[in-house]
Amino acid sequence: MDKKFDVKKLIQISLLIAIEVILTRFCSINIQIVRIGFGFLPVAIIAMMYGPISAGVAYAIGDILGMMIFPSGSYFPGFTLTAFLTGVVYGVFLYNKPKTWPRIIGAVLIVCLVINLGLDTLWLSILMGKGYIALLPTRIMKAVLMIPVQTFIIGIIWKKVVVRFVKVSQA
């Protein structure tokens, strides 16, 4: 891993963080206990290009910046932890490894079922004072919807966009 300061990498990650904030805050469907959006995509791209720590830190920064610039309720650090862990999981599965469908599906399953369904539901139950089990049916429906959507979009974006972007940025 290259430890030197890389301005090009910093600019690319910053641009992807900005895209993540926009996709999460403006291009998502928000219901009280469910947000369906595409903010995962820039994080998955950062994870594929720069690794788990970069993706985790970038998503946590995006979560904090999004909350500060476009607040939609009170800040809760649990969601920032969820964001960090999401970036780490994508990075562990997708960084410097072949981007195969089983690998993409594995990353998406862990993110959607363990992190989003498990942790985010816990954070919502704490914030809303509702029982964990009471929140699960709606959250399960979101997970069932998002697993194929995220899998397909990450796979297609990798094959059609990121590979070309990496070639251009290395030239």
Side-chain angles (χ1 to χ4, degrees):
M1 186 163 94
D2 190 14
K3 300 280 185 189
K4 69 178 184 169
F5 184 75
D6 186 349
V7 174
K8 185 190 290 188
K9 175 182 171 182
L10 181 65
I11 291 169
Q12 290 170 343
I13 291 174
S14 299
L15 176 64
L16 288 164
I17 290 171
I19 293 169
E20 182 276 323
V21 170
I22 291 166
L23 288 175
T24 300
R25 301 294 170 173
F26 297 110
C27 301
S28 60
I29 300 167
N30 290 313
I31 304 169
Q32 188 174 11
I33 61 171
V34 175
R35 177 188 294 161
I36 297 174
F38 300 97
F40 68 90
L41 188 55
V43 177
I45 293 169
I46 294 169
M48 288 185 248
M49 293 176 62
Y50 299 114
I53 300 302
S54 294
V57 169
Y59 205 5
I61 290 170
D63 180 69
I64 293 167
L65 284 174
M67 194 61 210
M68 289 171 49
I69 298 169
F70 309 107
S72 59
S74 60
Y75 174 74
F76 185 75
F79 293 115
T80 304
L81 174 62
T82 297
F84 176 80
L85 292 174
T86 298
V88 169
V89 167
Y90 281 136
V92 166
F93 275 80
L94 304 174
Y95 180 63
N96 280 343
K97 295 180 177 88
K99 284 22 166 214
T100 62
W101 287 110
R103 193 173 289 286
I104 293 169
I105 290 167
V108 169
L109 285 174
I110 290 174
V111 166
C112 286
L113 297 178
V114 176
I115 297 174
N116 295 148
L117 184 59
L119 279 179
D120 280 350
T121 305
L122 175 63
W123 307 144
L124 286 168
S125 71
I126 290 169
L127 280 173
M128 299 172 76
K130 291 186 179 180
Y132 186 88
I133 302 297
L135 297 172
L136 275 178
T138 308
R139 309 275 310 151
I140 289 171
M141 286 190 296
K142 176 199 174 192
V144 167
L145 173 71
M146 291 308 292
I147 288 169
V149 168
Q150 286 188 17
T151 301
F152 180 75
I153 290 175
I154 290 170
I156 295 303
I157 290 297
W158 172 256
K159 293 179 187 312
K160 301 292 182 187
V161 177
V162 176
V163 170
R164 290 182 190 148
F165 181 74
V166 170
K167 287 179 185 174
V168 168
S169 69
Q170 290 175 348

